[in-house]
Structures are given as C-alpha cells and as structure tokens.
Amino acid sequence: MTKSIQTLNGPVEIGSLGLILPHEHLFTDLRGPSVPDYAQAEPEAVVKVVGPHLAEAHAAGVTALVECSTVGVGRNLPVLQRLAEGTPIHIIAPTGVYREAYIPAALYDSSVDELARLWTKELSDGIEGTSIRAGFIKLAMSDDGPTALEVRNLQAAARASRETGAVIASHTIGGKIARMEMDILEDAGLDLHRFIWVHAQAEPDVSVLMEAVQRGAYLELDAVGAPYQSEAELLKTTLTLLAAGNSDHLLLSQDAGWYNPARADGLPEDGYRGYTALMKDFIPALLKRGISEEQVRRVTVDNPARAFAF
C-alpha cells in the first residue's frame, strides 16, 4: 500500500510531493492554555497575516509544511482549516502536547492509556470530532527534563505511534535529554526510525548527533534563517553530517512564523519570519560547498516524506 501524509485536506501520496518544510509555525500562542483567550483569533484575520507568507513559500517551491504548534501552544483547527483552504501548500497538523508547563489542565491527570487512545484517535479518525486526521505526534521536553509527566507523554506517544505508524517529533534541547528520551521510547517499544530529534542543532557535539542516527533517529536542524542561529555553524554541522554519510537521517527547516493571538496585529514580538530562507539562502550555500542536487533532494524531499508518511 502506498504511504501518504495526512494533511488538513486529506491524505496525499508522498510521490506527488516536492520540498517539505518539517518544522514551521502558522498559529502559536506561547502564553499557555490557562489564559482566558488562549489560542483564539478570527480565521480571516489570521489569513490576512499568514497568507502572503504561504504564497511566498509556494512560489519558492514548498509543497508541504508541517505545523508544529501542538496542544498547549495554540493548536486551533478552524484557523488551520481556513489557512489550508487558501494555499496550494499541504499543511500537516499535530496531535500530542507540549512540555509540562504548557499541558492543559484537562490532560494533566490523564494516564498513559488515556493519552495513547486520544492521540491514536486523532491520528486514525480525526481531531476534535472532525474527520481531519493529525499527521504526526508533537511533544516537547523541558530544558531540565524529561519530567515525570513528560515521561508519561513519551510512553503514550510510543504506544500511539506503534498503533498508527505516525512519527514522533519532540522539542529536545541537548544530547543528554535526547539520550534519555530515546531510552524511554525504546523501552516503550518504539523503533527510533519513527522519532525526530527536533532542534538537534542545539547539541554542539556532532558525535552525539551521529550516535542518535546510529540508533535510527532523524536529526532535524531547524534554525535556518533564525536570528539566534549562526548560519556558518549550521552549515558546518550540516556539511559534517552529510560528509559522514548521514543524509538519510537529516531534516532541514526554519522554525519560522507565526500569527500571535496575544497581539492585536497578530505579529510576534520580533516580527513575522517567513518560510523562504532555506530555499533562497541555505540550499544555495550547500550547493556552493559541493553538496549535490541529489543530496539536497534527499534531505528536503525524500526524508521528510518518508518521516511523516504512515
């Protein structure tokens, strides 16, 4: 059976896709789920802000975009549906939950079984009573984690992934946490080929990154174009990993965006960062340094398609 990615407009066969952005944000509320107007906005207002950036991304060659704002940091299905109606880019929405400080009260006391059933349902049947299926499981670890609740989340995610085949992508800062996280997932029966180490560029020791690849994980270098990230350092890490033969486990993205419902103008505090730096700047820099078109395609087309298909 041909595998597909699950998008807001239904399943899409991976063979029809080109460049995929595996880690971006369209609508994000970092205030957390306890504020009274959490994750609320008029869909048309969001389209007005986000739509031009999606149009620019499509013109630059993007065919699919993974929306990583999970439960706890603003997942809003009606907003995402409206965005999907206005762009030819296929949008993939998450199930899962963010790190402990952002876990909604309704999920705080859930058991592993209860969470696994919820996430399996969202992946298999649909989100929030709709027929729109989530396309992956998005988690996050605290910077000093994983906490006990985050261990619970990992165990539930592993069960839901084993049931559905969906990939787990987890915000993970540093190799120490990544190692603990992968141990927990493997103990829960997960094949680490179904795990994405999100923000892997934050680990400076390339040997630790290669260790994760040897265990089966994808490495997501997702700070392309970010003002806090040295492009030279990110290029160096990417080139080192590719030279060592890790091209089948590498993902590139920008962690860019997004509509901010906390502000009347919908903009992040530092302004909206669009989705084209990878195509306009980073890929040309890789090609200039001897990376082949075939390697670029593997990292930006084949790998994310394989990672998110189930």
Short mmCIF file of all heavy atoms in Angstrom, two decimals, residues 202-271:
data_model
loop_
_atom_site.label_atom_id
_atom_site.label_comp_id
_atom_site.label_asym_id
_atom_site.label_seq_id
_atom_site.Cartn_x
_atom_site.Cartn_y
_atom_site.Cartn_z
N ALA A 202 21.04 22.32 18.49
CA ALA A 202 21.40 22.87 19.80
C ALA A 202 22.46 22.02 20.50
O ALA A 202 23.06 22.48 21.48
CB ALA A 202 20.17 23.00 20.68
N GLU A 203 22.69 20.79 20.03
CA GLU A 203 23.75 19.95 20.58
C GLU A 203 25.04 20.20 19.80
O GLU A 203 25.11 19.91 18.60
CB GLU A 203 23.35 18.46 20.47
CG GLU A 203 24.46 17.50 20.82
CD GLU A 203 25.11 17.79 22.17
OE1 GLU A 203 24.39 17.82 23.19
OE2 GLU A 203 26.35 17.99 22.19
N PRO A 204 26.07 20.75 20.45
CA PRO A 204 27.29 21.12 19.73
C PRO A 204 28.20 19.95 19.37
O PRO A 204 29.05 20.09 18.49
CB PRO A 204 28.00 22.08 20.70
CG PRO A 204 27.52 21.65 22.05
CD PRO A 204 26.11 21.20 21.86
N ASP A 205 28.04 18.82 20.04
CA ASP A 205 28.92 17.67 19.81
C ASP A 205 28.34 16.82 18.69
O ASP A 205 27.36 16.10 18.89
CB ASP A 205 29.05 16.87 21.10
CG ASP A 205 30.09 15.74 20.99
OD1 ASP A 205 30.47 15.39 19.87
OD2 ASP A 205 30.48 15.22 22.05
N VAL A 206 28.97 16.87 17.52
CA VAL A 206 28.45 16.15 16.37
C VAL A 206 28.47 14.64 16.61
O VAL A 206 27.62 13.91 16.07
CB VAL A 206 29.23 16.52 15.09
CG1 VAL A 206 28.76 15.70 13.90
CG2 VAL A 206 29.06 18.00 14.79
N SER A 207 29.38 14.16 17.43
CA SER A 207 29.42 12.72 17.70
C SER A 207 28.15 12.26 18.41
O SER A 207 27.68 11.12 18.22
CB SER A 207 30.65 12.36 18.52
OG SER A 207 30.56 12.86 19.85
N VAL A 208 27.55 13.14 19.23
CA VAL A 208 26.29 12.81 19.90
C VAL A 208 25.16 12.73 18.87
O VAL A 208 24.28 11.86 18.95
CB VAL A 208 25.98 13.85 20.99
CG1 VAL A 208 24.62 13.58 21.62
CG2 VAL A 208 27.06 13.84 22.06
N LEU A 209 25.19 13.63 17.89
CA LEU A 209 24.19 13.58 16.82
C LEU A 209 24.33 12.29 16.03
O LEU A 209 23.32 11.64 15.70
CB LEU A 209 24.36 14.79 15.90
CG LEU A 209 24.22 16.17 16.55
CD1 LEU A 209 24.42 17.26 15.51
CD2 LEU A 209 22.87 16.32 17.23
N MET A 210 25.54 11.90 15.73
CA MET A 210 25.76 10.68 14.95
C MET A 210 25.34 9.45 15.74
O MET A 210 24.85 8.47 15.16
CB MET A 210 27.22 10.59 14.53
CG MET A 210 27.63 11.64 13.50
SD MET A 210 29.31 11.40 12.91
CE MET A 210 29.54 12.87 11.90
N GLU A 211 25.51 9.49 17.03
CA GLU A 211 25.05 8.39 17.89
C GLU A 211 23.54 8.22 17.75
O GLU A 211 23.03 7.08 17.67
CB GLU A 211 25.42 8.68 19.34
CG GLU A 211 24.88 7.68 20.35
CD GLU A 211 25.06 8.19 21.77
OE1 GLU A 211 26.13 8.73 22.09
OE2 GLU A 211 24.11 8.04 22.57
N ALA A 212 22.79 9.34 17.71
CA ALA A 212 21.34 9.27 17.55
C ALA A 212 20.97 8.68 16.19
O ALA A 212 20.02 7.89 16.09
CB ALA A 212 20.73 10.66 17.71
N VAL A 213 21.72 9.04 15.15
CA VAL A 213 21.48 8.48 13.83
C VAL A 213 21.70 6.97 13.86
O VAL A 213 20.91 6.19 13.29
CB VAL A 213 22.39 9.14 12.78
CG1 VAL A 213 22.37 8.36 11.47
CG2 VAL A 213 21.96 10.58 12.55
N GLN A 214 22.76 6.53 14.51
CA GLN A 214 23.05 5.10 14.59
C GLN A 214 21.93 4.34 15.29
O GLN A 214 21.70 3.16 14.99
CB GLN A 214 24.38 4.89 15.30
CG GLN A 214 25.59 5.34 14.49
CD GLN A 214 26.86 5.45 15.31
OE1 GLN A 214 26.87 5.14 16.50
NE2 GLN A 214 27.94 5.89 14.68
N ARG A 215 21.23 5.03 16.18
CA ARG A 215 20.09 4.39 16.85
C ARG A 215 18.82 4.43 16.00
O ARG A 215 17.83 3.80 16.37
CB ARG A 215 19.85 5.08 18.21
CG ARG A 215 20.99 4.91 19.17
CD ARG A 215 20.74 5.60 20.50
NE ARG A 215 19.67 4.96 21.27
CZ ARG A 215 19.35 5.31 22.51
NH1 ARG A 215 20.03 6.28 23.14
NH2 ARG A 215 18.37 4.70 23.15
N GLY A 216 18.85 5.18 14.90
CA GLY A 216 17.72 5.21 13.97
C GLY A 216 17.00 6.53 13.85
O GLY A 216 16.15 6.69 12.97
N ALA A 217 17.30 7.50 14.71
CA ALA A 217 16.54 8.74 14.77
C ALA A 217 16.84 9.66 13.59
O ALA A 217 17.92 9.61 13.00
CB ALA A 217 16.83 9.48 16.07
N TYR A 218 15.86 10.51 13.28
CA TYR A 218 16.09 11.64 12.38
C TYR A 218 16.64 12.80 13.19
O TYR A 218 16.21 13.05 14.32
CB TYR A 218 14.77 12.09 11.74
CG TYR A 218 14.21 11.16 10.70
CD1 TYR A 218 13.24 10.22 11.04
CD2 TYR A 218 14.63 11.24 9.37
CE1 TYR A 218 12.70 9.38 10.08
CE2 TYR A 218 14.09 10.40 8.41
CZ TYR A 218 13.13 9.47 8.77
OH TYR A 218 12.59 8.63 7.82
N LEU A 219 17.57 13.54 12.59
CA LEU A 219 18.09 14.78 13.17
C LEU A 219 17.46 15.94 12.41
O LEU A 219 17.62 16.06 11.20
CB LEU A 219 19.60 14.86 13.02
CG LEU A 219 20.43 13.74 13.63
CD1 LEU A 219 21.90 13.94 13.28
CD2 LEU A 219 20.23 13.70 15.15
N GLU A 220 16.77 16.80 13.13
CA GLU A 220 16.15 17.97 12.50
C GLU A 220 16.95 19.22 12.86
O GLU A 220 16.98 19.63 14.03
CB GLU A 220 14.70 18.11 12.95
CG GLU A 220 13.95 19.21 12.23
CD GLU A 220 12.51 19.27 12.68
OE1 GLU A 220 11.68 18.56 12.07
OE2 GLU A 220 12.22 19.97 13.68
N LEU A 221 17.61 19.79 11.86
CA LEU A 221 18.30 21.07 12.00
C LEU A 221 17.34 22.12 11.50
O LEU A 221 17.15 22.30 10.30
CB LEU A 221 19.60 21.07 11.20
CG LEU A 221 20.54 19.87 11.42
CD1 LEU A 221 21.81 20.03 10.59
CD2 LEU A 221 20.88 19.69 12.89
N ASP A 222 16.70 22.85 12.43
CA ASP A 222 15.52 23.62 12.06
C ASP A 222 15.63 25.10 12.45
O ASP A 222 14.62 25.74 12.73
CB ASP A 222 14.27 23.01 12.68
CG ASP A 222 14.45 22.66 14.15
OD1 ASP A 222 15.16 23.40 14.85
OD2 ASP A 222 13.91 21.63 14.58
N ALA A 223 16.85 25.63 12.43
CA ALA A 223 17.02 27.05 12.75
C ALA A 223 17.55 27.82 11.54
O ALA A 223 18.18 28.87 11.70
CB ALA A 223 17.97 27.21 13.93
N VAL A 224 17.29 27.32 10.34
CA VAL A 224 17.74 28.02 9.13
C VAL A 224 17.11 29.41 9.09
O VAL A 224 15.89 29.55 9.20
CB VAL A 224 17.37 27.23 7.87
CG1 VAL A 224 17.72 28.03 6.62
CG2 VAL A 224 18.08 25.88 7.86
N GLY A 225 17.94 30.44 8.96
CA GLY A 225 17.44 31.80 8.85
C GLY A 225 17.05 32.45 10.17
O GLY A 225 16.63 33.60 10.18
N ALA A 226 17.21 31.74 11.27
CA ALA A 226 16.83 32.29 12.57
C ALA A 226 17.88 33.29 13.06
O ALA A 226 19.08 33.04 12.93
CB ALA A 226 16.67 31.18 13.61
N PRO A 227 17.45 34.41 13.63
CA PRO A 227 18.41 35.42 14.07
C PRO A 227 19.32 34.96 15.20
O PRO A 227 20.41 35.50 15.39
CB PRO A 227 17.53 36.59 14.51
CG PRO A 227 16.19 35.99 14.78
CD PRO A 227 16.06 34.84 13.84
N TYR A 228 18.90 33.95 15.95
CA TYR A 228 19.70 33.44 17.07
C TYR A 228 20.69 32.37 16.64
O TYR A 228 21.47 31.88 17.46
CB TYR A 228 18.78 32.87 18.16
CG TYR A 228 17.79 31.84 17.66
CD1 TYR A 228 18.17 30.51 17.46
CD2 TYR A 228 16.48 32.19 17.37
CE1 TYR A 228 17.28 29.57 16.99
CE2 TYR A 228 15.58 31.26 16.89
CZ TYR A 228 15.98 29.95 16.71
OH TYR A 228 15.08 29.02 16.23
N GLN A 229 20.66 31.97 15.37
CA GLN A 229 21.49 30.88 14.89
C GLN A 229 22.56 31.38 13.93
O GLN A 229 22.24 32.07 12.96
CB GLN A 229 20.63 29.83 14.18
CG GLN A 229 21.39 28.70 13.51
CD GLN A 229 22.12 27.82 14.49
OE1 GLN A 229 21.53 27.30 15.44
NE2 GLN A 229 23.42 27.64 14.30
N SER A 230 23.80 31.02 14.16
CA SER A 230 24.88 31.31 13.23
C SER A 230 24.72 30.44 11.99
O SER A 230 24.73 29.20 12.09
CB SER A 230 26.23 31.04 13.88
OG SER A 230 27.26 30.90 12.92
N GLU A 231 24.57 31.06 10.83
CA GLU A 231 24.45 30.28 9.60
C GLU A 231 25.72 29.49 9.34
O GLU A 231 25.67 28.34 8.87
CB GLU A 231 24.13 31.17 8.41
CG GLU A 231 23.96 30.36 7.12
CD GLU A 231 23.51 31.20 5.95
OE1 GLU A 231 22.38 31.71 5.98
OE2 GLU A 231 24.32 31.33 5.00
N ALA A 232 26.87 30.08 9.65
CA ALA A 232 28.14 29.38 9.43
C ALA A 232 28.21 28.10 10.26
O ALA A 232 28.64 27.05 9.77
CB ALA A 232 29.31 30.30 9.77
N GLU A 233 27.77 28.17 11.51
CA GLU A 233 27.79 26.99 12.37
C GLU A 233 26.79 25.94 11.88
O GLU A 233 27.08 24.73 11.90
CB GLU A 233 27.48 27.38 13.81
CG GLU A 233 28.62 28.08 14.52
CD GLU A 233 29.86 27.22 14.62
OE1 GLU A 233 29.74 26.01 14.91
OE2 GLU A 233 30.97 27.74 14.40
N LEU A 234 25.62 26.39 11.45
CA LEU A 234 24.62 25.45 10.96
C LEU A 234 25.08 24.78 9.67
O LEU A 234 24.88 23.57 9.48
CB LEU A 234 23.28 26.16 10.75
CG LEU A 234 22.06 25.27 10.58
CD1 LEU A 234 21.85 24.39 11.80
CD2 LEU A 234 20.81 26.12 10.32
N LEU A 235 25.70 25.54 8.80
CA LEU A 235 26.28 24.96 7.58
C LEU A 235 27.35 23.94 7.93
O LEU A 235 27.41 22.84 7.35
CB LEU A 235 26.87 26.06 6.70
CG LEU A 235 25.90 26.83 5.81
CD1 LEU A 235 26.59 28.06 5.24
CD2 LEU A 235 25.36 25.95 4.68
N LYS A 236 28.21 24.28 8.88
CA LYS A 236 29.29 23.36 9.28
C LYS A 236 28.72 22.05 9.81
O LYS A 236 29.19 20.96 9.43
CB LYS A 236 30.15 24.03 10.35
CG LYS A 236 31.31 23.17 10.83
CD LYS A 236 32.12 23.90 11.90
CE LYS A 236 33.25 23.02 12.43
NZ LYS A 236 34.01 23.73 13.51
N THR A 237 27.71 22.13 10.66
CA THR A 237 27.09 20.91 11.20
C THR A 237 26.46 20.09 10.09
O THR A 237 26.62 18.86 10.03
CB THR A 237 26.04 21.28 12.26
OG1 THR A 237 26.66 22.00 13.32
CG2 THR A 237 25.37 20.04 12.82
N THR A 238 25.74 20.76 9.20
CA THR A 238 25.08 20.06 8.10
C THR A 238 26.09 19.37 7.21
O THR A 238 25.94 18.19 6.85
CB THR A 238 24.23 21.05 7.28
OG1 THR A 238 23.31 21.74 8.13
CG2 THR A 238 23.46 20.34 6.18
N LEU A 239 27.14 20.09 6.83
CA LEU A 239 28.17 19.53 5.96
C LEU A 239 28.89 18.36 6.62
O LEU A 239 29.19 17.35 5.97
CB LEU A 239 29.16 20.62 5.57
CG LEU A 239 28.61 21.73 4.65
CD1 LEU A 239 29.57 22.90 4.60
CD2 LEU A 239 28.34 21.19 3.25
N THR A 240 29.16 18.47 7.92
CA THR A 240 29.83 17.39 8.64
C THR A 240 28.97 16.14 8.66
O THR A 240 29.46 15.02 8.42
CB THR A 240 30.16 17.83 10.07
OG1 THR A 240 31.01 18.98 10.03
CG2 THR A 240 30.85 16.72 10.85
N LEU A 241 27.67 16.31 8.93
CA LEU A 241 26.77 15.16 8.97
C LEU A 241 26.63 14.52 7.59
O LEU A 241 26.62 13.29 7.47
CB LEU A 241 25.41 15.60 9.50
CG LEU A 241 25.37 15.96 10.98
CD1 LEU A 241 24.06 16.64 11.33
CD2 LEU A 241 25.56 14.71 11.85
N LEU A 242 26.55 15.33 6.56
CA LEU A 242 26.43 14.79 5.21
C LEU A 242 27.72 14.07 4.80
O LEU A 242 27.67 12.98 4.21
CB LEU A 242 26.10 15.90 4.22
CG LEU A 242 24.70 16.50 4.34
CD1 LEU A 242 24.55 17.71 3.43
CD2 LEU A 242 23.64 15.45 3.99
N ALA A 243 28.85 14.65 5.11
CA ALA A 243 30.13 14.03 4.76
C ALA A 243 30.33 12.69 5.45
O ALA A 243 31.01 11.80 4.92
CB ALA A 243 31.28 14.97 5.10
N ALA A 244 29.71 12.53 6.61
CA ALA A 244 29.83 11.28 7.37
C ALA A 244 28.80 10.24 6.94
O ALA A 244 28.71 9.17 7.56
CB ALA A 244 29.70 11.57 8.86
N GLY A 245 28.03 10.54 5.91
CA GLY A 245 27.09 9.56 5.37
C GLY A 245 25.75 9.49 6.06
O GLY A 245 25.08 8.45 6.03
N ASN A 246 25.32 10.60 6.66
CA ASN A 246 24.06 10.62 7.41
C ASN A 246 22.90 11.26 6.64
O ASN A 246 21.91 11.67 7.25
CB ASN A 246 24.27 11.38 8.73
CG ASN A 246 25.30 10.72 9.61
OD1 ASN A 246 25.11 9.60 10.07
ND2 ASN A 246 26.41 11.40 9.83
N SER A 247 22.99 11.33 5.35
CA SER A 247 21.99 12.08 4.57
C SER A 247 20.59 11.49 4.69
O SER A 247 19.59 12.22 4.56
CB SER A 247 22.40 12.16 3.10
OG SER A 247 22.48 10.88 2.52
N ASP A 248 20.46 10.18 4.95
CA ASP A 248 19.13 9.58 5.05
C ASP A 248 18.42 9.92 6.36
O ASP A 248 17.23 9.61 6.50
CB ASP A 248 19.23 8.05 4.93
CG ASP A 248 19.51 7.60 3.51
OD1 ASP A 248 19.28 8.39 2.57
OD2 ASP A 248 19.96 6.45 3.33
N HIS A 249 19.12 10.54 7.29
CA HIS A 249 18.52 10.82 8.61
C HIS A 249 18.45 12.32 8.91
O HIS A 249 18.17 12.70 10.04
CB HIS A 249 19.33 10.13 9.70
CG HIS A 249 19.20 8.65 9.70
ND1 HIS A 249 18.34 7.98 10.54
CD2 HIS A 249 19.81 7.70 8.94
CE1 HIS A 249 18.44 6.68 10.31
NE2 HIS A 249 19.33 6.49 9.34
N LEU A 250 18.66 13.16 7.91
CA LEU A 250 18.75 14.59 8.15
C LEU A 250 17.51 15.31 7.62
O LEU A 250 17.03 15.01 6.51
CB LEU A 250 20.00 15.14 7.46
CG LEU A 250 20.43 16.57 7.81
CD1 LEU A 250 20.71 16.71 9.30
CD2 LEU A 250 21.67 16.94 6.99
N LEU A 251 17.00 16.25 8.39
CA LEU A 251 15.89 17.11 8.01
C LEU A 251 16.32 18.56 8.21
O LEU A 251 17.04 18.87 9.16
CB LEU A 251 14.65 16.83 8.86
CG LEU A 251 14.09 15.41 8.84
CD1 LEU A 251 13.01 15.26 9.92
CD2 LEU A 251 13.52 15.06 7.48
N LEU A 252 15.85 19.45 7.33
CA LEU A 252 16.16 20.87 7.44
C LEU A 252 14.87 21.68 7.45
O LEU A 252 13.96 21.44 6.66
CB LEU A 252 17.01 21.33 6.25
CG LEU A 252 18.43 20.76 6.15
CD1 LEU A 252 19.08 21.20 4.84
CD2 LEU A 252 19.29 21.20 7.33
N SER A 253 14.81 22.65 8.35
CA SER A 253 13.66 23.54 8.39
C SER A 253 14.06 24.85 9.07
O SER A 253 15.24 25.09 9.33
CB SER A 253 12.48 22.87 9.10
OG SER A 253 11.24 23.35 8.61
N GLN A 254 13.07 25.71 9.36
CA GLN A 254 13.35 27.09 9.76
C GLN A 254 12.75 27.50 11.10
O GLN A 254 13.13 28.52 11.66
CB GLN A 254 12.84 28.03 8.66
CG GLN A 254 13.49 27.74 7.33
CD GLN A 254 12.66 28.17 6.13
OE1 GLN A 254 13.17 28.77 5.20
NE2 GLN A 254 11.37 27.85 6.16
N ASP A 255 11.76 26.74 11.61
CA ASP A 255 11.10 27.09 12.87
C ASP A 255 10.60 28.53 12.82
O ASP A 255 10.73 29.30 13.77
CB ASP A 255 12.08 26.90 14.03
CG ASP A 255 11.38 26.84 15.38
OD1 ASP A 255 10.14 26.68 15.41
OD2 ASP A 255 12.08 26.96 16.41
N ALA A 256 10.01 28.89 11.68
CA ALA A 256 9.64 30.28 11.40
C ALA A 256 8.14 30.50 11.61
O ALA A 256 7.37 29.59 11.87
CB ALA A 256 10.05 30.66 9.98
N GLY A 257 7.72 31.76 11.45
CA GLY A 257 6.32 32.15 11.57
C GLY A 257 6.20 33.33 12.51
O GLY A 257 7.18 34.04 12.77
N TRP A 258 5.05 33.60 13.09
CA TRP A 258 3.78 32.92 13.07
C TRP A 258 2.74 33.92 13.47
O TRP A 258 3.06 35.06 13.92
CB TRP A 258 3.78 31.72 14.05
CG TRP A 258 4.21 32.07 15.45
CD1 TRP A 258 3.49 32.66 16.46
CD2 TRP A 258 5.52 31.86 15.99
NE1 TRP A 258 4.27 32.83 17.58
CE2 TRP A 258 5.51 32.33 17.32
CE3 TRP A 258 6.70 31.29 15.49
CZ2 TRP A 258 6.65 32.28 18.15
CZ3 TRP A 258 7.82 31.22 16.31
CH2 TRP A 258 7.78 31.71 17.62
N TYR A 259 1.46 33.62 13.35
CA TYR A 259 0.41 34.51 13.88
C TYR A 259 0.38 34.38 15.40
O TYR A 259 0.35 33.28 15.95
CB TYR A 259 -0.95 34.14 13.31
CG TYR A 259 -2.04 35.13 13.68
CD1 TYR A 259 -2.35 36.19 12.83
CD2 TYR A 259 -2.72 35.04 14.89
CE1 TYR A 259 -3.32 37.12 13.17
CE2 TYR A 259 -3.69 35.97 15.24
CZ TYR A 259 -3.99 37.01 14.38
OH TYR A 259 -4.95 37.94 14.71
N ASN A 260 0.39 35.54 16.07
CA ASN A 260 0.44 35.59 17.53
C ASN A 260 -0.88 36.16 18.05
O ASN A 260 -1.10 37.38 17.97
CB ASN A 260 1.61 36.47 17.97
CG ASN A 260 1.65 36.69 19.47
OD1 ASN A 260 0.97 36.01 20.22
ND2 ASN A 260 2.44 37.66 19.91
N PRO A 261 -1.79 35.35 18.59
CA PRO A 261 -3.10 35.85 19.02
C PRO A 261 -3.04 36.75 20.25
O PRO A 261 -4.05 37.36 20.61
CB PRO A 261 -3.88 34.56 19.32
CG PRO A 261 -2.84 33.56 19.66
CD PRO A 261 -1.66 33.89 18.79
N ALA A 262 -1.88 36.87 20.87
CA ALA A 262 -1.75 37.75 22.04
C ALA A 262 -1.70 39.22 21.65
O ALA A 262 -1.85 40.09 22.51
CB ALA A 262 -0.51 37.38 22.84
N ARG A 263 -1.47 39.50 20.37
CA ARG A 263 -1.35 40.89 19.91
C ARG A 263 -2.44 41.23 18.91
O ARG A 263 -2.87 40.39 18.10
CB ARG A 263 0.02 41.11 19.27
CG ARG A 263 1.16 41.18 20.27
CD ARG A 263 2.50 41.25 19.59
NE ARG A 263 2.58 42.26 18.54
CZ ARG A 263 3.52 43.20 18.46
NH1 ARG A 263 4.45 43.28 19.39
NH2 ARG A 263 3.55 44.03 17.45
N ALA A 264 -2.87 42.47 18.94
CA ALA A 264 -3.93 42.91 18.04
C ALA A 264 -3.53 42.80 16.58
O ALA A 264 -4.37 42.51 15.71
CB ALA A 264 -4.33 44.35 18.38
N ASP A 265 -2.25 43.02 16.28
CA ASP A 265 -1.80 42.94 14.88
C ASP A 265 -1.43 41.51 14.47
O ASP A 265 -1.12 41.25 13.30
CB ASP A 265 -0.62 43.87 14.62
CG ASP A 265 0.62 43.56 15.46
OD1 ASP A 265 0.62 42.54 16.18
OD2 ASP A 265 1.58 44.35 15.40
N GLY A 266 -1.47 40.58 15.42
CA GLY A 266 -1.19 39.19 15.11
C GLY A 266 0.28 38.86 14.87
O GLY A 266 0.60 37.75 14.44
N LEU A 267 1.17 39.77 15.15
CA LEU A 267 2.58 39.56 14.84
C LEU A 267 3.37 39.13 16.07
O LEU A 267 3.08 39.58 17.19
CB LEU A 267 3.19 40.84 14.27
CG LEU A 267 2.63 41.33 12.94
CD1 LEU A 267 3.27 42.65 12.55
CD2 LEU A 267 2.85 40.29 11.85
N PRO A 268 4.39 38.30 15.89
CA PRO A 268 5.30 38.01 17.00
C PRO A 268 6.02 39.28 17.45
O PRO A 268 6.08 40.27 16.71
CB PRO A 268 6.29 37.01 16.39
CG PRO A 268 5.62 36.47 15.18
CD PRO A 268 4.73 37.56 14.67
N GLU A 269 6.57 39.23 18.64
CA GLU A 269 7.25 40.40 19.19
C GLU A 269 8.37 40.89 18.27
O GLU A 269 8.61 42.08 18.13
CB GLU A 269 7.82 40.07 20.57
CG GLU A 269 6.78 39.74 21.63
CD GLU A 269 5.90 40.92 22.00
OE1 GLU A 269 6.36 42.08 21.84
OE2 GLU A 269 4.77 40.69 22.46
N ASP A 270 9.07 39.96 17.64
CA ASP A 270 10.20 40.32 16.78
C ASP A 270 9.83 40.38 15.30
O ASP A 270 10.71 40.44 14.44
CB ASP A 270 11.35 39.32 16.97
CG ASP A 270 11.89 39.34 18.39
OD1 ASP A 270 11.87 40.43 19.01
OD2 ASP A 270 12.31 38.28 18.88
N GLY A 271 8.53 40.35 15.00
CA GLY A 271 8.09 40.39 13.62
C GLY A 271 7.95 39.00 13.02
O GLY A 271 8.51 38.02 13.52
#
